[in-house]
Each structure stands twice: as C-alpha cells, then as structure tokens.
Amino acid sequence: MMGLFDSIAGSVMNKMAGSSGNPMIQAGLELMNKCGGPQGVLDKLRANGLDAEVESWLGSGNNLPLNLQQVLQVFGTELIQSMAAQFSLPVDDFGSKLAEYLPQAIDKLSLDGKLPGSQAELMARAFSLLKG
C-alpha cells in the first residue's frame, strides 16, 4: 500500500517541482511522506508544543510562523541534514525555507480547517494546487 503511495507521491513531487520551479514543494511533500502524511507532520508539531501554530494554519486567519530552531527540534537535525544534502542546500538555508514553506503548504492543503482524509484526496488537492 505504501509502495503505491510512494510512487504516486514521487510522480506528484516531480510534477510539482518541475512545474513550479520550487524545490520546497518537493521537499515539503517528501517531509510529509517521511512523517506519515500531512497529519503526521501536524502530530509531530503538536507533540512539540506548536498547537497554536498548527491551528493557525488550519484556520482562516493569519498563519503563525515557524523558525529554523523549531523545524530542527520537531523533525530532527539528522533528517533535515539529509534532506538539505539531497537538495544541495546548507542545512540552515534548507531548514529556514522549510519553516517558511510548511505553514503555507498546510494552509493550502486544508480546506475548511481539515486535512485530506485519504491519500487519494491529498493527491487530488496537491494536483489542484499545481493548477491554481
């Protein structure tokens, strides 16, 4: 089951990264993939005391920011280092960009304050972001 999701996610990431020219879209999707989807990312953030930030991204108001230290704390320096190397970016640059991108991504993926309930719905929303 995850194999199918991985291949679909991989093709979506390639399409998104290619069409937008933004490697952070690919990085964000890959992070979600490694953490059990968008809900897994939110669970990690909440477990690290970032409930207010998560709620701001799901709600319709302004998105509260993340910073580099929070990204490293939540996802672990090792994961961020390996992803930064994959994208040929210094760790601090990559982590800062991810901190900037993640709130926007969750905000756009969550309609009516809820994340997609299935992988298929997540992919559909990711594709609609491409077109939008």
Side-chain angles (χ1 to χ4, degrees):
M1 181 69 179
M2 271 315 272
L4 176 63
F5 173 67
D6 289 344
S7 67
I8 294 170
S11 64
V12 170
M13 285 189 272
N14 291 338
K15 183 169 173 49
M16 291 181 91
S19 67
S20 69
N22 183 354
M24 291 319 295
I25 291 175
Q26 186 175 352
L29 283 171
E30 187 161 319
L31 182 69
M32 288 178 197
N33 199 17
K34 288 178 191 276
C35 295
Q39 192 59 57
V41 169
L42 296 188
D43 291 345
K44 276 183 160 302
L45 290 159
R46 285 188 169 119
N48 281 275
L50 299 172
D51 292 295
E53 285 79 356
V54 168
E55 292 309 314
S56 76
W57 308 340
L58 295 174
S60 58
N62 290 333
N63 293 334
L64 293 174
L66 273 185
N67 63 43
L68 171 63
Q69 286 315 113
Q70 290 166 318
V71 166
L72 294 173
Q73 174 191 333
V74 171
F75 301 107
T77 306
E78 194 174 305
L79 174 61
I80 299 303
Q81 281 175 336
S82 74
M83 289 183 72
Q86 191 179 333
F87 289 93
S88 303
L89 289 169
V91 174
D92 288 358
D93 288 359
F94 179 81
S96 295
K97 286 184 169 129
L98 196 58
E100 190 179 312
Y101 169 76
L102 212 49
Q104 298 168 26
I106 298 295
D107 187 40
K108 287 186 170 70
L109 287 172
S110 60
L111 301 176
D112 304 321
K114 291 187 179 70
L115 286 170
S118 68
Q119 300 297 3
E121 193 182 343
L122 171 62
M123 291 295 125
R125 286 198 198 164
F127 275 124
S128 72
L129 289 179
L130 279 179
K131 291 183 239 161

